[in-house]
Amino acid sequence: MRTNVPGGVHVVGVVGTGGAGGAVARARLAHGADPVHVLAQSGWAADSAHSATVREDGALELTYLVSALDGIPPRVPEVPRDLGVAPDEVGEPYQRVAAYAVVTSERGVLLTQFNSQTHVAGDWGLPRGGLDDGESPVAGVHREVWEETGQRIDLGDLITVQSQHWVGRAPSGALEDFHAVRIVYAATCPEPTEIVIHDVGGTTSDARWVPVDRIDDYPLTSSWRRLAALHDLGERPGS
């Protein structure tokens, strides 16, 4: 997703750990790179995302539980381009680090709808938002869920970190070499209330509690269809 809202400038580090043995790999996440590929280049397979924290120097650190890579490292895919973007066009590098939450309660799953400031207007996804400079993903996801839905949550485990890189046009028309880093948590809402969108003028047009068995009725963005399957929340037919 691209929005009109500028993202913060982040230094992102990738750490691989075997658990009690401490860090076995460290690297800086280059623009457009996927942490899984970064670890593979050092000979490690990323088994699962473990944590996302902000160091004292303000850098964001993504830590993965890893094991020795057995076999050929995964191929780095070609960077896709939006329709109408010529192969020789060069976009302005833009990285957006954002925090998301799969929020569940007795009323269902919390979904938000994207508005016309995005390229997926009308589609539904998760409460989300870009991190401010120096803001931790934990603080950011609590803030964004409240701003977009008015709900207070108890945060659970880190589910995954998604990295997506493509070249396309922002809603403003600017050509961007876009790198999205999405940090996704599980969360529960002990006392779900009626939805209140506090972030007026943002990228959310609607938000709802959706029963799990009704998720397939909503046009989810492709990223969140995959995540829904991963989190055992169902998947739209044919996706």
Side-chain angles (χ1 to χ4, degrees):
M1 180 192 72
R2 274 143 293 179
T3 74
N4 290 324
V5 182
V9 176
H10 297 270
V11 175
V12 182
V14 181
V15 177
T17 178
V24 296
R26 289 184 180 275
R28 179 167 175 170
L29 186 69
H31 177 78
D34 188 315
V36 172
H37 296 150
V38 170
L39 291 168
Q41 290 171 0
S42 299
W44 298 97
D47 297 326
S48 62
H50 179 264
S51 63
T53 57
V54 175
R55 302 192 310 236
E56 289 186 0
D57 63 1
L60 176 66
E61 195 163 81
L62 304 175
T63 300
Y64 289 77
L65 296 178
V66 299
S67 57
L69 183 65
D70 182 15
I72 300 173
R75 182 181 64 85
V76 177
E78 183 177 346
V79 179
R81 290 173 170 264
D82 284 355
L83 291 175
V85 178
D88 59 346
E89 289 188 273
V90 178
E92 182 70 21
Y94 185 100
Q95 184 189 67
R96 185 174 187 268
V97 180
Y100 296 70
V102 180
V103 183
T104 56
S105 78
E106 62 186 15
R107 298 180 65 173
V109 180
L110 190 58
L111 296 182
T112 59
Q113 187 179 43
F114 298 97
N115 66 18
S116 59
Q117 294 185 58
T118 75
H119 282 304
V120 287
D123 284 357
W124 292 76
L126 305 178
R128 77 285 172 197
L131 299 180
D132 295 331
D133 289 339
E135 182 179 39
S136 74
V138 168
V141 77
H142 278 282
R143 173 179 57 78
E144 290 292 345
V145 171
W146 169 253
E147 289 179 355
E148 294 188 346
T149 70
Q151 308 301 301
R152 298 294 188 186
I153 59 173
D154 291 339
L155 207 60
D157 293 335
L158 176 64
I159 298 176
T160 189
V161 176
Q162 295 181 339
S163 178
Q164 187 178 6
H165 183 203
W166 73 96
V167 178
R169 298 202 180 277
S172 65
L175 184 63
E176 295 175 338
D177 180 342
F178 198 96
H179 183 202
V181 179
R182 307 183 184 103
I183 302 167
V184 189
Y185 292 92
T188 58
C189 182
E191 299 180 2
T193 64
E194 293 303 310
I195 300 297
V196 178
I197 300 176
H198 295 285
D199 186 21
V200 178
T203 59
T204 299
S205 61
D206 196 1
R208 298 178 189 176
W209 286 110
V210 177
V212 173
D213 60 0
R214 296 292 305 277
I215 290 179
D216 287 350
D217 297 340
Y218 287 73
L220 302 180
T221 60
S222 59
S223 294
W224 307 129
R225 287 200 301 271
R226 292 192 295 270
L227 185 62
L230 173 68
H231 202 62
D232 197 25
L233 294 175
E235 189 171 9
R236 289 181 60 81
S239 60

